[in-house]
């Protein structure tokens, strides 16, 4: 073996990269047929649907942290229900509810700090609120006002992605930038079981592995991609196996178990910070609601499947845990639910004040400087608005 | 004759072609059990089974690429891309294989397939669901690009596209999907690809449009006649590529004036190509510069303001008046 420089202290723990493959190895390949180890995948569950906990795995978070997480999950649900209600009344455009995925949502961003990055897909408003997006802003963007899309000051997030899988490569690129700069931030990017079929996602896995980029691929396996059940989307059951095939440490987690999500997230974040590269977390959860408000699941799935998953509600089981631990009680749960509902309603008021169409802004932010021909088009467009008496 | 909307008439074309030719198969995201997110493929799974109605994995590049392979093997795939915005994922396969395999294989593998996709704005959709990027495909040698404007021509043109020996990009104006009904005959009906249609005769100016823009254009033509005594001839392009230069030139030679309406961005758009052809073949007949009423060179805006971005009858009327009044 030729000796290699050991100046990089993190090298020993980094995944093997092509440049480190010893090409001077001329040993004869032994004949015969033997099994190849495809890499191990843990399946992690800490808090089951009955609220029972595996004490040996419990991260034993401080009470204050547990309360924070619980509140975030309840707020996510309240917001979800309110948005659906607003959509049905014509106040909101088509949107994608996240009902039942609250633990997956909050768990995937729990361990992130301000310096870290988050690049979500569209079913992520719970996580976005946790990251610091004001609720009214999310309402604005789902109601078709473009000002809603700009990441708030101080929040290192990408606007959520609607084109399936297209954001996963840029997220990986951010992580490559972090690595190139020698920083210790990490990136979380989420996508669904359907997105896993996109070539771009496979490319992202490979780039992340090759460059040991500190990116956490949060695969939300919620059972469905519109009308296509996961078992028709691909033929493997444990989607985390996709990660190990690319040389990415991968784990399968009960996505309705907030404790397991937090543990997996913390481990992945630490691995990223140590320079050990990407992690794939498959969160097994369930899309309880419609795909989007334009969708009718009755056409393609059975109600009893949904009923079965109701019993696995991430909030109900966490509340049992909190109660058993003596952290919160029934009266607290009621109070918190009320507070969250009020918070959402207050945000809705702010949204209603700000929900003004601004047709004159459509030429904004096309370029650093609007080229002359676009300035001309803008004048033409403004003249059209003037003629129509539009502000 | 039954009164059908465009969703139903497209379904009819698929159904009849699948019944008539067992090489015809359809593939795409959510087209089977769900019948397509717009219900264009409803009931076809029950009728023709999983081998011919394929709910695919969520991968547009995969859909188009494998459709090309199935066409090589002699099938006649009709691939659905759920929204035209997501044809971008398939750009590679459209450009490198769908459009050029006939040529690359020295005619051994003609690619007889259709890529269908709903396009255009006006349905209050989220980002990436309102684009009109037909110009990309018109710019790609080897493809045909067809855009119907109503239930009846949609059915006939889809029929023609499925039976065409070349690859066809078939863009469906989703704003028209359920907007109105037309009589559509029961028996299979076809229309020639590459032929535009004069849908309103007139003598003062030629108005050219296609797809969802036919409705505001026709409305403008009626307003022009009623309120401004301008008698417009209106051409429904129907096929974007190969373009029916003859019909355009004939009309412009008669009227001496022309406006073109499309919702896609202006630069290198379809109107630019039409103007070039008029310049090449009808320059001497022009009595005024040709004008285009198009989308702007910006990203399609969010839905609260999309109605201002899209060409509307008023704007079209104003533009026509300018052209007619030009001295
Ligand atoms: C590239 C692309 N193709 C198709 C769509 C239409 N579409 C929106 S969501 C969706 C299913 C996504 O399923 P999955 O990735 O599992 O995520 P989930 O919605 O279940 O969270 C599809 C096909 C899209 N938005 N982008």
């Amino acid at each position: 073996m030729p000796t290699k420089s050991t100046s990089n202290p993190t090298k020993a723990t980094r995944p093997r990269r092509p440049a480190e493959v010893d090409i001077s190895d001329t040993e004869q390949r032994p004949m015969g047929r033997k099994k190849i180890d495809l890499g191990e995948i843990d399946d992690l569950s800490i808090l089951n649907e009955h609220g029972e906990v595996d004490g040996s795995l419990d991260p034993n978070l401080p009470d204050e942290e547990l309360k924070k997480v619980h509140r975030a999950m309840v707020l996510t649900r309240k917001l979800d229900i309110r948005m659906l209600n607003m959509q049905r009344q014509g106040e909101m455009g088509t949107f994608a509810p996240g009902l039942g995925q609250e633990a997956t949502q909050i768990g995937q961003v729990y361990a992130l700090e301000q310096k870290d990055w988050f690049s979500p897909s569209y079913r992520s408003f719970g996580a976005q609120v946790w990251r610091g997006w004001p609720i009214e802003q999310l309402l604005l963007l789902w109601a078709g006002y473009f000002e809603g899309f700009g990441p708030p000051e101080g929040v290192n997030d990408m606007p959520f992605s609607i084109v399936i899988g297209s954001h996963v490569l840029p997220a990986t690129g951010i992580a490559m930038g972090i690595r190139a700069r020698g920083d210790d931030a990490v990136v979380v990017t989420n996508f669904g079981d359907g997105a896993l079929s996109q070539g771009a996602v496979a490319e992202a896995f490979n780039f992340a592995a090759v460059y040991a980029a500190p990116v956490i691929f949060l695969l939300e396996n919620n059972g469905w991609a519109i009308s296509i059940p996961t078992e028709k989307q691909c033929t493997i059951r444990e989607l985390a196996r996709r990660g190990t095939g690319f040389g990415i440490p991968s784990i399968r987690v009960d996505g309705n178990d907030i404790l397991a999500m937090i543990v997996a997230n913390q481990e992945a974040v630490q691995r990223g910070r140590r320079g050990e590269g990407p992690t794939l977390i498959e969160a097994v959860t369930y899309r309880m609601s419609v795909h989007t408000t334009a969708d009718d699941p009755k056409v393609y799935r059975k109600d009893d499947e949904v009923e079965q998953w109701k019993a696995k509600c991430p909030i109900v089981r966490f509340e049992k845990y909190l109660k058993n631990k003596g952290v919160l009680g029934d009266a607290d749960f009621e109070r918190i639910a009320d507070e969250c509902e009020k918070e959402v309603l207050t945000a809705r008021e702010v949204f209603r004040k700000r929900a003004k169409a601004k047709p004159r802004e459509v030429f904004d932010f096309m370029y650093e400087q609007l080229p002359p021909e676009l300035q001309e088009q803008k004048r033409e467009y403004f003249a059209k608005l003037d003629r129509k008496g539009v502000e | 004759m039954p009164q059908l909307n465009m969703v139903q008439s497209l379904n009819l074309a698929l159904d009849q072609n699948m019944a008539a030719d067992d090489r015809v198969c359809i593939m795409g995201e959510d087209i089977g059990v769900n019948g397509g997110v717009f219900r264009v493929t409803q009931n076809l799974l029950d009728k023709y089974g999983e081998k011919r109605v394929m709910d695919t994995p969520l991968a547009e590049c995969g859909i188009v690429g494998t459709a090309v392979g199935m066409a090589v093997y002699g099938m006649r795939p009709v691939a659905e891309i759920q929204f035209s915005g997501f044809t971008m994922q398939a750009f590679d396969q459209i450009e490198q294989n769908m459009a050029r395999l006939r040529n690359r294989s020295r005619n051994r593998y003609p690619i007889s397939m259709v890529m269908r996709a709903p396009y255009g704005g006006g349905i209050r959709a989220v980002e990436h669901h309102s684009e009109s990027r037909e110009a990309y495909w018109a710019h790609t040698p080897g493809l045909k690009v067809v855009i119907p404007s109503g239930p009846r021509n949609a059915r006939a043109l889809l029929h023609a596209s499925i039976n065409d020996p070349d690859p066809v990009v078939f863009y469906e104006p989703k704003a028209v999907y359920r907007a109105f009904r037309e009589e559509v005959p029961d028996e299979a009906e076809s229309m020639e690809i590459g032929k535009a249609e004069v849908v309103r005769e007139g003598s003062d100016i030629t108005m050219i449009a296609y797809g969802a823009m036919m409705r505001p254009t026709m409305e403008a033509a009626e307003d022009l006649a009623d309120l401004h005594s301008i008698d417009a001839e209106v051409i429904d392009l129907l096929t974007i590529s190969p373009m029916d230069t003859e019909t355009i030139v004939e009309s412009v030679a008669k009227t001496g004036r022309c406006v073109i309406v499309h919702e896609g961005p202006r630069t290198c758009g379809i109107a630019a190509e039409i103007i070039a052809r008029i310049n090449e073949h009808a320059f001497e007949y022009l009595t005024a510069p040709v004008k285009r009423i198009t989308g702007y060179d910006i990203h399609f805006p969010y839905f609260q303001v999309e109605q201002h971005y899209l060409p509307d009858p008023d704007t079209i009327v104003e533009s026509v008046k300018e052209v007619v009044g030009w001295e």
Side-chain angles (χ1 to χ4, degrees):
Chain A
M1 289 273 291
T3 48
K4 290 195 179 136
S5 150
T6 52
S7 63
N8 183 344
T10 62
K11 206 179 113 196
T13 48
R14 261 162 47 196
R16 229 157 91 109
R17 292 167 45 183
E20 294 162 356
V21 173
D22 187 355
I23 49 165
S24 67
D25 185 359
T26 51
E27 238 175 79
Q28 274 267 270
R29 193 160 193 250
M31 281 187 292
R33 176 190 284 239
K34 53 185 192 302
K35 297 274 176 256
I36 294 174
D37 178 6
L38 293 177
E40 284 178 4
I41 298 172
D42 287 353
D43 191 329
L44 181 66
S45 155
I46 299 175
L47 174 66
N48 73 12
E49 58 188 274
H50 309 297
E52 296 156 358
V53 66
D54 181 333
S56 68
L57 294 171
D58 187 341
N60 287 313
L61 297 180
D63 288 359
E64 282 321 301
E65 288 296 302
L66 292 171
K67 288 182 192 166
K68 218 171 109 191
V69 165
H70 169 258
R71 192 176 194 287
M73 285 166 64
V74 174
L75 182 65
T76 302
R77 179 159 298 186
K78 290 287 179 201
L79 175 56
D80 198 276
I81 292 168
R82 179 59 55 187
M83 277 171 79
L84 189 62
N85 186 285
M86 289 168 75
Q87 195 279 337
R88 297 303 188 213
Q89 299 188 354
E91 208 175 355
M92 191 71 53
T94 303
F95 94 103
L99 191 75
Q101 299 182 210
E102 295 85 357
T104 297
Q105 281 290 301
I106 303 306
Q108 65 183 272
V109 283
Y110 175 79
L112 295 187
E113 297 171 17
Q114 202 183 1
K115 66 185 171 192
D116 297 320
W117 288 72
F118 182 47
S119 177
S121 70
Y122 44 81
R123 206 184 297 285
S124 306
F125 41 83
Q128 288 180 292
V129 172
W130 177 277
R131 289 284 293 163
W133 289 68
I135 291 174
E136 58 269 20
Q137 199 180 329
L138 301 178
L139 297 179
L140 279 169
L141 71 87
W142 282 111
Y145 301 95
F146 35 130
E147 64 193 277
F149 259 94
E153 212 48 53
V155 179
N156 284 343
D157 287 9
M158 297 290 274
F160 72 75
S161 161
I162 288 177
V163 183
I164 304 295
S166 72
H167 61 298
V168 185
L169 278 166
T172 302
I174 293 170
M176 286 164 62
I178 291 169
R179 176 104 193 140
R181 292 288 186 161
D183 295 333
D184 72 346
V186 300
V187 182
V188 169
T189 182
N190 73 31
F191 47 88
D193 40 285
L196 201 56
S197 293
Q198 289 284 2
V201 173
E203 292 173 24
F205 287 0
N206 196 37
F207 271 68
V210 165
Y211 292 100
V215 54
I216 295 151
F217 297 114
L218 203 294
L219 165 50
E220 297 181 348
N221 180 357
N222 66 3
W224 292 90
I226 310 189
S227 71
I228 307 299
T230 308
E231 58 269 22
K232 278 181 74 185
Q233 189 70 238
C234 62
T235 57
I236 53 171
R237 193 177 133 78
E238 300 83 10
L239 304 185
R241 284 159 62 181
R242 284 289 181 87
T244 52
F246 283 94
I248 298 175
S250 303
I251 184 168
R252 190 165 205 255
V253 178
D254 179 348
N256 285 11
D257 170 357
I258 184 65
L259 298 181
M261 280 301 300
I262 285 175
V263 167
N265 183 239
Q266 284 174 328
E267 286 174 5
V269 167
Q270 282 155 14
R271 179 179 299 125
R273 295 212 201 289
R274 285 195 305 262
E276 292 169 29
T279 303
L280 171 71
I281 300 174
E282 176 194 359
V284 182
T285 179
Y286 192 78
R287 194 196 84 211
M288 294 296 292
S289 187
V290 292
H291 165 71
T292 67
T293 47
D295 169 57
D296 176 13
K298 289 218 174 344
V299 178
Y300 54 78
R301 78 175 181 190
K302 299 207 168 63
D303 284 345
D304 47 333
E305 182 182 306
V306 183
E307 283 307 311
Q308 277 172 28
W309 276 91
K310 242 185 210 160
K312 301 181 204 266
C313 174
I315 296 179
V316 171
R317 75 171 79 168
F318 192 46
E319 291 189 343
K320 280 187 189 152
Y321 168 85
L322 294 171
K323 228 164 116 172
N324 289 342
K325 250 190 136 163
V327 179
L328 292 168
D330 287 332
D332 298 313
F333 297 143
E334 243 172 71
R335 173 183 47 82
I336 292 163
D338 280 352
E339 284 169 11
C340 290
E341 178 71 17
K342 282 209 189 78
E343 186 174 338
V344 172
L345 290 176
T346 307
R348 187 181 64 174
E349 287 319 302
V350 180
F351 155 77
R352 283 178 173 165
K353 285 205 190 81
R354 284 178 57 191
K356 282 210 183 66
K358 295 178 184 150
R360 290 189 192 252
E361 290 185 357
V362 301
F363 281 82
D364 289 0
F365 315 124
M366 284 304 302
Y367 296 92
E368 177 77 36
Q369 272 192 341
L370 207 61
E373 61 184 282
L374 263 183
Q375 288 176 19
E376 183 50 41
Q377 289 187 20
K378 185 174 168 180
R379 273 193 290 277
E380 176 193 318
Y381 171 74
F382 276 24
K384 168 175 164 176
L385 296 181
D386 291 343
R387 207 172 51 243
K388 296 206 283 183
V390 177
E391 239 179 77
Chain B
M1 284 197 272
Q3 292 272 339
L4 303 184
N5 65 30
M6 192 185 279
V7 167
Q8 295 165 323
S9 79
L10 291 166
N11 182 272
L12 179 66
L14 290 170
D15 193 353
Q16 289 184 327
N17 277 281
M18 293 185 80
D21 183 347
D22 67 4
R23 295 172 305 170
V24 179
C25 58
I26 61 177
M27 52 201 296
E29 295 156 11
D30 306 288
I31 65 153
V33 181
N34 203 34
V37 295
F38 288 103
R39 305 290 182 254
V40 171
T41 55
Q42 197 151 33
N43 297 327
L44 297 177
L45 175 64
D46 286 344
K47 256 177 141 160
Y48 300 103
E50 283 187 349
K51 289 216 169 89
R52 294 179 64 200
V53 178
M54 284 172 268
D55 261 330
T56 65
L58 207 177
E60 291 76 15
C61 195
I63 293 168
V64 176
T66 55
V68 167
M70 301 215 321
V72 168
Y73 198 68
M75 309 276 292
R76 296 204 156 215
V78 182
E80 174 178 305
I81 303 297
Q82 203 162 83
F83 286 86
S84 73
F86 312 136
T87 58
M88 297 307 124
Q89 265 63 14
F91 218 129
D92 166 32
Q93 290 298 331
I94 300 169
E95 170 81 31
Q96 318 292 14
N97 288 323
M98 180 175 165
R100 61 198 297 159
L101 251 177
R102 175 194 288 278
N103 182 266
R104 284 186 63 230
S105 68
R106 310 319 296 162
N107 221 27
R108 174 78 190 274
Y109 303 127
I111 303 302
S112 179
M113 65 170 278
V114 181
M115 180 181 80
R116 297 178 37 240
Y119 86 98
I123 64 155
R124 293 174 65 81
V126 292
E127 213 188 355
H128 308 289
H129 289 65
S130 305
E131 279 66 24
S132 301
R133 295 286 191 273
E134 58 279 8
Y136 284 138
W137 314 128
H139 194 71
T140 300
L143 297 177
K144 294 180 178 174
V145 183
V146 173
I147 306 187
S149 60
R152 185 160 182 176
N153 62 32
R155 184 276 191 96
L157 284 167
L158 183 55
H159 179 92
S161 301
I162 293 171
N163 292 287
D164 197 272
D166 289 304
V168 178
V169 173
F170 192 89
Y171 267 19
E172 300 162 6
K174 64 172 110 60
V176 178
Y177 266 162
R178 294 172 191 281
F180 61 97
R181 288 164 184 271
E182 270 177 359
E183 291 200 342
V184 178
D186 286 322
E187 58 281 4
E189 193 178 40
S190 192
M191 255 173 120
E192 195 179 334
I193 291 178
K195 275 265 170 283
E197 196 180 357
V198 177
V199 291
R200 185 184 196 283
E201 292 200 17
S203 52
D204 295 332
I205 186 164
T206 302
M207 301 171 75
I208 305 174
Y210 54 88
M213 285 298 110
M214 279 310 294
R215 297 224 297 161
T217 303
M218 283 302 280
E219 202 180 304
E222 296 310 324
D223 284 354
L224 285 162
D226 295 346
L227 307 173
H228 305 284
S229 309
I230 294 173
D231 183 23
E233 178 142 306
V234 180
I235 294 178
D236 185 347
L237 212 50
L238 296 171
T239 300
I240 307 303
S241 175
M243 197 180 278
D244 183 357
T245 312
E246 203 181 311
T247 300
I248 296 169
V249 168
E250 230 170 69
S251 176
V252 173
K254 181 172 80 175
T255 61
R257 302 183 184 96
C258 182
V259 297
I260 304 148
V261 186
H262 64 64
E263 52 181 301
R266 181 169 302 169
T267 297
C268 297
I270 302 305
E273 178 57 34
I274 296 175
I275 292 171
R277 287 174 195 231
I278 292 173
N279 198 45
E280 286 161 356
H281 302 286
F283 186 74
E284 63 271 33
Y285 301 103
L286 288 179
T287 55
V290 179
K291 201 168 171 60
R292 46 187 168 161
I293 304 108
T294 68
Y296 305 97
D297 295 338
I298 58 176
H299 304 298
F300 195 93
Y302 296 140
F303 70 78
Q304 292 290 355
V305 298
E306 69 177 327
Q307 73 273 26
H308 303 302
Y309 169 93
L310 291 168
D312 54 25
D314 270 0
T315 313
I316 300 171
V317 164
E318 286 308 311
S319 304
V320 168
K321 278 164 58 189
E322 259 178 56
V323 174
V324 172
W326 192 83
E327 282 162 40

